[in-house]
Amino acid sequence: MNLIEILKPVEFTYPKDDKYIYCIPEGVNIGSSRMYSIQGISGSGKSTILTLLAALRRFRQGTIQYTLAAKQAVQVTPANWKKLVGPAFWGNMGFSFQKPELIRALTVKKNLELAIGKAMTEEMALALFEHKEWDEITNARIWKLSGGQMQRLGIIRAFGANQALVFMDEPTNNLDKSNRKKVVDFIQRYRQDKSIVFVSHDQPFLDMLAIDTTFEVREEGELQGRWQRILQPKTG
């Protein structure tokens, strides 16, 4: 089963950028229980493409079909994006970004419990934190954490029970070699029947995950007076 299907080519431009148009062609699919990576040079638009796949941006043209909750297909277009897309829609997706959006008013433990439930918080936390470190930060406020600690919390939060699809943008940012290996083990342990889409420059990290399909963002000719930055399956 495909969780995401591009039914009509997706196009997006930033309001103040007349140079590039970001494109996802018809026929691009994200299947169930698979791992994908999006590659490309720095600044090529990988994160933009990732957010388009997740319907986090209102694209200007195209149709994306999502089959997530109860296997009911939802077709998102620019015309119905505002009506269909919101917290309930994203409830079956997990997100781990370069700068995790954690709730500053809550403790570390409360942030995780809100996302993954009380029953799993301790177990999943200890998969990425040593006991001593977890004990030190469990009741701390978010602003007291290091960048690496926040990154690991963001990863844990992305793997809630209801997520069929997880988007991860540079998940090994701020992490040393030991913690990167822990993230690999964590993903393998808790991915279950989830599909994961990665943006990462960390090739050794991706190699440890046995990615099923690799895409890349390429610049290919002009469209409507702008250079196309288009998502394509990687070849060679």
Side-chain angles (χ1 to χ4, degrees), residues 147-208:
Q149 288 170 334
M150 289 186 66
Q151 192 72 24
R152 281 176 282 163
L153 287 174
I155 291 168
I156 296 168
R157 194 181 60 172
F159 282 76
N162 297 322
Q163 278 81 343
L165 183 58
V166 178
F167 294 93
M168 307 189 80
D169 191 356
E170 300 293 355
T172 56
N173 256 14
N174 300 309
L175 300 183
D176 58 22
K177 185 176 180 180
S178 174
N179 279 314
R180 289 190 346 244
K181 179 59 170 63
K182 286 182 180 180
V183 170
V184 170
D185 294 340
F186 178 92
I187 291 169
Q188 299 286 25
R189 180 176 177 181
Y190 290 107
R191 63 171 294 202
Q192 299 162 345
D193 56 353
K194 296 172 173 56
S195 286
I196 309 175
V197 183
F198 297 92
V199 166
S200 177
H201 289 98
D202 189 345
Q203 192 58 50
F205 165 74
L206 294 174
D207 290 342
M208 286 189 283

Side-chain angles (χ1 to χ4, degrees), residues 57-183:
R57 298 183 188 275
R58 183 175 182 173
F59 41 95
R60 72 175 197 178
Q61 184 172 312
T63 302
I64 308 178
Q65 178 168 287
Y66 297 87
T67 309
L68 300 172
K71 297 184 179 179
Q72 293 180 346
V74 176
Q75 293 185 8
V76 176
T77 67
N80 67 20
W81 182 89
K82 189 173 182 179
K83 179 181 178 181
L84 294 180
V85 175
F89 174 86
W90 290 311
N92 294 102
M93 300 181 190
F95 302 97
S96 172
F97 294 125
Q98 296 183 50
K99 295 181 179 179
E101 295 293 334
L102 301 168
I103 301 174
R104 294 175 63 84
L106 299 180
T107 64
V108 167
K109 187 176 182 180
K110 289 295 184 183
N111 263 275
L112 291 187
E113 288 179 346
L114 187 65
I116 63 177
K118 291 184 178 181
M120 292 298 294
T121 290
E122 187 89 358
E123 175 189 315
M124 295 176 77
L126 292 176
L128 286 184
F129 291 91
E130 298 294 335
H131 278 272
K132 181 180 179 181
E133 185 180 16
W134 175 244
D135 288 343
E136 289 173 349
I137 68 170
T138 184
N139 293 312
R141 300 291 178 172
I142 296 302
W143 61 82
K144 294 186 177 182
L145 304 181
S146 69
Q149 288 170 334
M150 289 186 66
Q151 192 72 24
R152 281 176 282 163
L153 287 174
I155 291 168
I156 296 168
R157 194 181 60 172
F159 282 76
N162 297 322
Q163 278 81 343
L165 183 58
V166 178
F167 294 93
M168 307 189 80
D169 191 356
E170 300 293 355
T172 56
N173 256 14
N174 300 309
L175 300 183
D176 58 22
K177 185 176 180 180
S178 174
N179 279 314
R180 289 190 346 244
K181 179 59 170 63
K182 286 182 180 180
V183 170

Side-chain angles (χ1 to χ4, degrees), residues 2-11 23-30 52-53 59 61-66 231:
N2 288 321
L3 303 181
I4 297 179
E5 298 180 67
I6 307 301
L7 301 183
K8 294 182 180 179
V10 170
E11 297 176 6
C23 307
I24 309 176
E26 180 179 345
V28 169
N29 299 322
I30 302 297
L52 290 172
L53 286 170
F59 41 95
Q61 184 172 312
T63 302
I64 308 178
Q65 178 168 287
Y66 297 87
L231 185 70

